[in-house]
Every structure is written in C-alpha cells, then in structure tokens.
Amino acid sequence: MVQERAVRTREQVLNAAAEEFAAHGYMGTTLLDVIQRTGMTKGALYGHFSSKEELATALIEEAGSELSTRAARADGPDAAAVPALRETVLDLARHLRRDTRARSALRLAVESPHLDRHDLGLVQRICLPLTRAVTQAQAGDGSSGGYPPEAVARLLVSVFFGVPHPVPRDDADAARQFDDLWAAVSGPRGDGGGAAGPPER
C-alpha cells in the first residue's frame, strides 16, 4: 500500500514537472513551480527527486525512451518503407500532441542536451531510424528524390515536431549540413511534381 502510494506520488510529480517544462522550458521552471502545481509539500517532492535536474533527466529518460521506441517502427522492409515512414511520423506527431511528458522530454533534450544521459541525444535517436527509412524508400522507388537521407529526416523532424537541431560541431560540419539540406529542398521538379533529383555537387 505504501509502495503504491509512493508510485502514485512520483507519477504526480512527473506529470506536474512535464506540464511546467513543456510550457516554460528548463530555465523557466523552478521546483517551487512544480510543488505549487502538485499541491504537495517540499518534503514530498524531495522524497522522490532531489533537484530540478534530476526531475528533467527522469523525464528525458522515461518519455524519451517511448519516443525513440516509436521512431524505431519506421524501420521495415524496403517495399513498405514509405508507408512505414509516413505512419511513424504521424504516430510521433499524434503522441506528442497527446502526451505532455513526451513534449517536455523533447523540449528538454533540445534546450538542455547536457541532461540527456544517452550517448546519442534524443533528437538523434529519433532521426536515425527515420534516416534508415528514407534510405530504404529511396532504394525502393526513389520517392524522396535521392536526396541525402539524413537531411530529409532532419527536415521531417523539424517540420512535424518543430525541433531545432544541435549546433554543428565546426565549419566543415555546418557546410556539409547546409549543402545536404539545400540539396533536399532546391532540386528541379520532375513531371510528377516531385523532386527529380539532387543538384550536382
């Protein structure tokens, strides 16, 4: 009974923190905001999380794991690559609309990447399976025009989820990312209205 109550209290704290982080970001949220939203005492909150950082890290870990699991569904047979990619993007968008924890985890991972304990950041963990799916789609029917798969995945994540990507590591990385993104949006259009192919580089 005590354990069940502790689990419920922890969930209540995480839900309240997710609301605050999703609305105000990491820097704009204080533990007092979370405490006031839950109606608990400081002691009740500190019994589960010792700091704002620990709270944010838990949200990224738990809600981020669900996001990356959903993103992994984009991987599938080449013949079904485009439908799988489409359904995965729609599912992620739907999940983010409905789940405050997911929205807070993504915002936290973007704004405060030092809180993400994984070797790969959450945005990258979402982008990687989408990149593989784009590669499979290109191999299957060329529907994405043969453009750089990573650039197409980044565009999908940016457009559907409003996610800014990490600052490039250096000038060479920035130049590569610009060239890839430019190729993905500026190529000539074919007879069917889609991109006919990337410009020569």
Side-chain angles (χ1 to χ4, degrees):
M1 188 71 175
V2 174
Q3 185 176 1
E4 290 179 3
R5 185 164 60 248
V7 170
R8 287 197 302 271
T9 300
R10 184 180 187 276
E11 292 299 299
Q12 187 178 352
V13 171
L14 283 174
N15 287 337
E19 293 283 353
E20 292 294 331
F21 286 134
H24 307 294
Y26 185 72
M27 297 304 295
T29 296
T30 67
L31 281 180
L32 180 59
D33 295 326
V34 178
I35 291 168
Q36 289 177 338
R37 183 177 281 272
T38 61
M40 296 177 181
T41 63
K42 289 183 180 179
L45 186 146
Y46 283 119
H48 294 276
F49 300 97
S50 62
S51 66
K52 180 174 76 168
E53 179 175 339
E54 188 178 334
L55 251 178
T57 298
L59 281 167
I60 293 174
E61 172 64 29
E62 296 175 23
S65 176
E66 173 67 16
L67 283 169
S68 58
T69 296
R70 287 173 179 267
R73 295 171 186 166
D75 284 336
D78 289 356
V82 176
L85 176 61
R86 182 178 187 273
E87 182 51 41
T88 299
V89 170
L90 295 180
D91 175 66
L92 284 168
R94 189 182 307 119
H95 182 60
L96 285 164
R97 284 197 310 273
R98 296 174 177 174
D99 193 295
T100 307
R101 288 195 191 186
R103 292 196 303 276
S104 70
L106 198 53
R107 178 167 183 174
L108 288 166
V110 169
E111 294 182 354
S112 304
H114 65 284
L115 299 171
D116 194 333
R117 302 300 188 230
H118 285 264
D119 292 335
L120 294 177
L122 178 56
V123 175
Q124 191 172 1
R125 298 201 305 276
I126 293 171
C127 277
L128 279 175
L130 301 187
T131 299
R132 289 192 294 268
V134 171
T135 302
Q136 291 171 331
Q138 290 173 335
D141 62 12
S143 60
S144 54
Y147 296 137
E150 182 182 358
V152 176
R154 283 175 174 269
L155 284 174
L156 286 170
V157 170
S158 295
V159 169
F160 278 87
F161 315 133
V163 172
H165 294 275
V167 174
R169 294 184 300 272
D170 49 37
D171 285 352
D173 187 40
R176 178 189 64 79
Q177 289 191 32
F178 177 88
D179 291 344
D180 285 349
L181 287 170
W182 186 252
V185 300
S186 66
R189 299 182 67 83
D191 294 339
E200 293 184 5
R201 294 169 56 185

